[in-house]
Amino acid sequence: MAHTAILPSSEMRSAAVRTIKADIQGLNYVQIPGAASAAAAAPDGSLWVLSNAPSGADKYIWHYSNGSWTNISGLASSLSVAPNGTLYAINSGGGAFAYASGIGTWTALGGGCRALTAAADNSLYVISNGSGTDGAIWQYAGGTWTQQPGSGTSIAAAWDPNAYGNPGGVIVPDGLWVINSAGSIYYLGNADYISLPGAASAIAPIIGGLFALGYPANANGNSLYYYDLANPGWKAEAGSGASISSDGKTLYIVSTSGAIYSSSVVAVPTPTPSPSPSPTPTPTPGPIVVSLKSLDFLALGSQNAQTFTVSQANASGVFSVNASNCTNIVSVSPASGAPPFTVTPVGAGECALAIGGDGGQTAILPISVTTSSVTVH
């Protein structure tokens, strides 16, 4: 770990990016002063970030606690914080380090890493930076490195003690979320991987769900989505960002401008209003029901087009289909109106259609287009 001079807190505050709150809505966001390139939430409610300085892949490391910023010595390209408060970091050279905050020293753990996450048992998982788009997964525990099944490009440990039924299998407690180079999302539990529909460029697990940024990564930021593990399905959230992190109670988003936002993700009960002699309200539009769970194509062209239908109780029957994440993969006709909708494959890839209906209801339809019958696991 490189040794750097300790910077005063004024360095971080002077770098604050002032963005109006309306730029991100829907989750009661509050802007944190300062600017960052990535964030790592800590279980004690504090926040570790990488600033957007100096130039290059490795950035200064800052800690935000009780409204104040503190810089520590070192440069890193990625951070993660364990339940016991241990700060793990990797640099652009692939070195992995652990920081002892009590004595302010770094301990080298090994090399060859491109991504990392701290697990519920305080161990460290990393993805190797070997050749290939997807790297092998390794766990560091008790001073020993052990290879794990699978490979990917990004990784995030779940600290959720609960189990959830899912169409792909049971999500067991304290597992591991993995994204591969195609953006596919997987969960590693006791034995094997479970796949989730859709694709993501970044993920942040919380108790009961998973926040994700759309795929592929975009220099202008990616849309935010939430997957409810108790009621499996994706929901589009307002706002976008370049980096996300969560301690299970608070979601942090770093925008492409470097602005840092936080929002509580703990549900707050809404008081029940007192009855009044008002007219009978119009029935609330129900959830959107899609006729298919996913669309899979094995060849391109209009001759291989498929259709799907959509329904919604207490609604007009008119829907919009947002295919912005599926550019150069499929085309959809009509883009809005009454079903059925025709989906034509135009290029290989994976994406998801966002279907909107009345009452702000949305649904996600995963799309997969391949031009080969060979499946790589």
Side-chain angles (χ1 to χ4, degrees), residues 182 215 295 297 300 328-330 347-351 367-371:
Y215 178 88
L295 279 175
F297 299 90
L300 308 179
N328 299 325
I329 299 177
V330 296
E350 294 183 344
C351 62
I367 302 291
S368 175
V369 180
T370 59
T371 56

Side-chain angles (χ1 to χ4, degrees), residues 4 41 55-56 67 76 96 104 119 125 151 164-165 196 205 215 221 231 250 259 269 281 337 346 348:
T4 59
S55 60
Y125 286 86
S151 61
Y164 304 90
L196 256 61
Y215 178 88
N231 300 284
T250 302
V346 298

Side-chain angles (χ1 to χ4, degrees), residues 124-144:
L124 175 67
Y125 286 86
V126 304
I127 293 179
S128 69
N129 60 1
S131 60
T133 54
D134 294 292
I137 301 171
W138 292 79
Q139 181 189 25
Y140 182 81
T144 301

Side-chain angles (χ1 to χ4, degrees), residues 57-329:
D58 295 320
K59 306 297 183 182
Y60 294 125
I61 305 168
W62 292 84
H63 187 215
Y64 186 75
S65 179
N66 297 320
S68 298
W69 285 105
T70 304
N71 174 238
I72 65 171
S73 178
L75 297 170
S77 59
S78 187
L79 303 173
S80 186
V81 188
N84 64 4
T86 298
L87 174 66
Y88 291 106
I90 58 176
N91 59 24
S92 59
F97 301 85
Y99 182 73
S101 58
I103 57 177
T105 59
W106 290 97
T107 299
L109 306 179
C113 309
R114 72 168 89 170
L116 81 169
T117 186
D121 61 1
N122 298 306
S123 66
L124 175 67
Y125 286 86
V126 304
I127 293 179
S128 69
N129 60 1
S131 60
T133 54
D134 294 292
I137 301 171
W138 292 79
Q139 181 189 25
Y140 182 81
T144 301
W145 287 99
T146 306
Q147 187 171 2
Q148 304 298 308
S151 61
T153 58
S154 183
I155 193 168
W159 296 358
D160 192 337
N162 306 305
Y164 304 90
N166 190 273
V170 177
I171 304 291
V172 300
D174 300 332
L176 197 64
W177 292 100
V178 179
I179 299 176
N180 65 15
S181 55
S184 300
I185 309 167
Y186 296 93
Y187 186 82
L188 177 60
N190 294 331
D192 204 354
Y193 281 93
I194 296 170
S195 64
L196 256 61
S201 59
I203 48 178
I206 67 167
I207 302 298
L210 179 72
F211 282 99
L213 295 179
Y215 178 88
N218 189 313
N220 295 318
N222 288 80
S223 298
L224 179 68
Y225 297 89
Y226 178 70
Y227 190 88
D228 188 342
L229 293 174
N231 300 284
W234 288 103
K235 176 185 177 183
E237 299 286 350
S240 63
S243 172
I244 55 176
S245 181
S246 177
D247 60 3
K249 298 178 181 179
T250 302
L251 176 69
Y252 296 93
I253 293 186
V254 177
S255 73
T256 54
S257 66
I260 311 165
Y261 294 89
S262 69
S263 174
S264 171
V265 293
V266 178
V268 178
T270 302
T272 303
S274 300
S276 61
S278 59
T280 302
T282 302
T284 301
I288 295 175
V289 179
V290 184
S291 61
L292 300 173
K293 291 184 178 180
S294 63
L295 279 175
D296 299 304
F297 299 90
L298 299 178
L300 308 179
S302 58
Q303 68 273 23
N304 296 297
Q306 299 184 44
T307 63
F308 68 92
T309 61
V310 185
S311 62
Q312 183 182 23
N314 304 321
S316 64
V318 175
F319 303 90
S320 64
V321 181
N322 185 344
S324 60
N325 287 332
C326 294
T327 303
N328 299 325
I329 299 177

